[in-house]
């Protein structure tokens, strides 16, 4: 069997890349071992244009958000699913300095589009402990990235374009015109393994980071929260009275298991915020594929042209993924020059 592209890993990165390659008329075959601890399966998928303690616009957000919205809407339509939910984010402000900073930022060019001064608390007014005040973020969203990957996986399986097993690097043969893997011949193998890329013998020279995150799925009976609340932790509405609560950030971790400390931290935060009871339904953990300079990894291997990588979506895969997957597909299919800031050639192979 032959295919244009062999994609290894089908989290959000592999899913979006496969989508754009197929859109460009190329054939793909995906090798992925489903892992409930993959970042894509655990993430809330929040798209948040205004981040950090200084309330600054996320990198390239004016381009990324419209492109993400368009891409997810197209995927929803193709796959017959609903995954992109536009939800404003209520941002708790804890003192007058934060409130002043928020108001000052709104006055700056390009910010009023994203930030509201008067926040609509709705159901949160009754069921949470009040903060000093609140700001509200527009053009934010929650993308059910795990559900999206699941639906794309089913689509790939249906057309026999999925091998659902661990990838064996030793089985990969580099040929004059591409790669051979099992019975498959492909022009290019593209690795999209998330944080597990550190086990990839061809690309492990890149400075992969990794940030462990723990989350709770909780039931808050009759809460009726429709917006996302950021009040030290995020509370994100799911279906059926369930909410995603997270997350922790761990830069030094031995494994990807949920921990007692993580659970206690999140439960403690939630107890401080909510004035109504909640029940923990699930406690999950995963590792975000972070990169030291916080920019995605795109490109071909410096020595083996038939090998490429799309990774490093870090903490912001939902917003970064569509735009950079398209850029990667354009690079692979039309030889478009990669933007230097995301090109893996910014890092040298260790000698
Ligand atoms: C707790 C938490 C909360 C987050 N919240 C948000 C958020 O709100 N908004 C946001 O934008 N981002 C968020 N993220 C980040 C987001 O999840 C990631 O940016 C994105 O999902 C990364 O996707 P990926 O495909 O690169 O990696 P992954 O999701 O890790 O997918 C990699 C896939 O490759 C497979 N794989 C790897 N190696 C092999 C192999 N050798 N053989 C076969 N299969 C293999 C894995 O099983 C997996 O299916 C969060 C992450 C975490 C952990």
């Amino acid at each position: 069997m032959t295919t244009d592209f062999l994609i290894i890993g089908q989290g959000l990165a592999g899913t979006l890349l496969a989508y754009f390659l197929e859109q460009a008329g190329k054939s793909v075959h995906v090798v992925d071992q489903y892992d409930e601890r993959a970042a894509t399966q655990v993430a809330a998928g929040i798209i948040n244009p205004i981040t950090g303690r200084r309330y600054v616009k996320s990198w390239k957000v004016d381009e990324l958000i419209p492109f993400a919205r368009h891409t997810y809407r197209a995927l929803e339509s193709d796959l017959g699913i609903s995954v992109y939910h536009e939800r404003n984010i209520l941002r708790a402000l804890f003192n007058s300095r934060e409130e002043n900073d928020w108001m000052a930022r709104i006055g700056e060019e390009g910010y009023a589009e994203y930030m509201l001064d008067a926040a609509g608390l709705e159901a949160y007014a009754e069921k949470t402990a009040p903060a000093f005040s609140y700001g509200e973020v527009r053009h934010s969203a929650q993308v059910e990235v795990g559900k999206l990957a699941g639906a794309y996986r089913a689509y790939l399986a249906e057309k026999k374009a999925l091998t659902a097993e661990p990838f064996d690097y030793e089985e990969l043969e580099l040929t004059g015109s591409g790669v051979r893997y099992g019975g498959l011949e492909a022009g290019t193998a593209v690795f999209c393994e998330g944080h597990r890329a550190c086990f990839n013998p061809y690309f492990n020279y890149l400075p992969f980071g990794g940030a462990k995150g723990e989350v709770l799925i909780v039931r808050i009976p009759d809460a009726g929260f429709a917006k996302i609340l950021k009040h030290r932790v995020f509370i994100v509405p799911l279906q059926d009275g369930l909410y995603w609560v997270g997350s922790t950030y761990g830069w030094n971790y031995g494994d990807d298991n949920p921990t007692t400390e993580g659970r206690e931290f999140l439960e403690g935060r939630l107890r401080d915020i909510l004035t109504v009871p909640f029940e923990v339904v699930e406690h999950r953990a995963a590792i975000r594929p972070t990169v030291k300079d916080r920019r995605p990894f795109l490109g071909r291997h410096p020595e083996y042209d038939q090998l490429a990588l799309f990774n490093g979506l870090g903490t912001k895969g939902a917003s970064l993924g569509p735009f950079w997957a398209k850029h990667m597909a354009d690079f692979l299919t039309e030889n478009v020059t990669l933007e230097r800031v995301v090109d893996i050639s910014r890092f040298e192979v260790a000698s």
Side-chain angles (χ1 to χ4, degrees):
M1 201 166 64
T2 61
T3 185
D4 294 321
F5 293 93
L6 175 67
I7 296 179
I8 299 98
Q10 195 241 323
L12 184 61
T15 299
L16 291 168
L17 182 64
Y19 170 70
F20 283 116
L21 288 173
E22 290 201 314
Q23 290 287 303
K26 302 297 176 186
S27 55
V28 301
H29 188 96
V30 174
V31 180
D32 177 84
Q33 181 184 33
Y34 173 78
D35 179 2
E36 64 169 14
R37 299 231 180 125
T40 301
Q41 303 303 328
V42 176
I46 301 165
I47 293 183
N48 183 6
I50 302 294
T51 55
R53 291 198 187 136
R54 295 179 51 248
Y55 319 125
V56 288
K57 283 206 251 180
S58 292
W59 180 53
K60 275 172 136 5
V61 80
D62 297 329
E63 278 172 275
L64 294 180
I65 291 186
F67 194 80
R69 184 188 297 122
H70 178 80
T71 304
Y72 292 122
R73 290 287 184 228
L75 275 156
E76 287 183 324
S77 154
D78 288 0
L79 298 168
I81 54 172
S82 168
V83 291
Y84 186 81
H85 311 293
E86 290 187 350
R87 296 190 196 284
N88 284 9
I89 299 175
L90 294 170
R91 172 98 191 225
L93 305 171
F94 294 103
N95 50 50
S96 56
R97 185 186 51 75
E98 291 190 4
E99 190 181 46
N100 289 342
D101 289 351
W102 182 272
M103 300 306 284
R105 192 63 87 194
I106 297 178
E108 286 181 30
E109 197 186 335
Y111 275 85
E113 174 70 8
Y114 294 104
M115 299 168 78
L116 302 175
D117 46 4
L121 285 189
E122 299 164 5
Y124 285 108
E126 299 284 306
K127 289 161 186 137
T128 59
F132 179 82
S133 73
Y134 296 84
E136 186 162 338
V137 178
R138 299 173 63 213
H139 300 305
S140 45
Q142 173 216 2
V143 191
E144 293 180 84
V145 287
K147 180 173 166 185
L148 172 64
Y152 209 84
R153 184 180 184 82
Y155 155 78
L156 290 168
E158 172 77 27
K159 55 186 255 181
K160 308 227 178 313
L162 175 76
T163 302
E165 55 188 50
F167 185 80
D168 182 351
Y169 300 96
E170 294 196 352
E171 285 291 309
L172 183 71
E173 230 181 290
L174 308 190
T175 64
S177 57
V179 298
R180 197 173 295 127
Y181 183 76
L184 202 71
E185 302 215 0
T188 303
V190 194
F191 294 98
C192 305
E193 307 129 304
H195 82 99
R196 295 180 61 82
C198 57
F199 302 115
N200 183 316
Y202 297 99
F203 287 100
N204 61 6
Y205 71 90
L206 289 166
F208 292 104
K212 181 171 174 177
E214 298 190 41
V215 313
L216 299 178
I217 307 300
V218 302
R219 187 181 309 283
I220 313 174
D222 304 321
F225 301 150
K227 294 176 182 171
I228 296 169
L229 175 66
K230 180 168 194 294
H231 188 302
R232 302 204 203 276
V233 288
F234 280 98
I235 299 179
V236 184
L238 305 172
Q239 293 84 28
D240 307 324
L242 296 179
Y243 295 86
W244 184 102
V245 176
S247 55
T248 61
Y249 279 84
W251 309 99
N252 295 308
Y253 50 85
D255 56 41
D256 60 1
N257 296 323
T259 65
T260 310
E261 303 80 67
R263 180 170 176 146
E264 282 172 359
F265 170 83
L266 293 169
E267 279 198 53
R269 286 285 194 225
L270 202 50
R271 268 195 300 272
D272 291 344
I273 299 167
L274 292 178
T275 56
V276 291
F278 65 91
E279 172 204 347
V280 176
V281 176
E282 258 186 281
H283 173 202
R284 306 184 64 181
I287 297 170
R288 304 168 180 91
T290 57
V291 169
K292 290 220 173 88
D293 67 359
R294 299 199 192 176
R295 295 293 176 252
F297 277 154
L298 280 69
R300 286 191 187 269
H301 191 275
E303 201 175 326
Y304 309 113
D305 204 45
Q306 62 272 65
L307 304 181
L309 179 98
F310 178 48
N311 205 315
L313 295 181
T315 61
K316 295 188 178 148
S319 52
L320 295 173
F323 184 89
W324 294 113
K326 172 75 165 73
H327 190 51
M328 182 71 185
D330 290 347
F331 164 71
L332 292 170
T333 60
E334 292 170 32
N335 224 4
V336 163
T337 305
L338 285 178
E339 283 192 33
R340 173 76 187 154
V341 68
V342 295
D343 190 337
I344 55 171
S345 69
R346 67 191 190 273
F347 297 103
E348 284 179 14
V349 184
S351 49

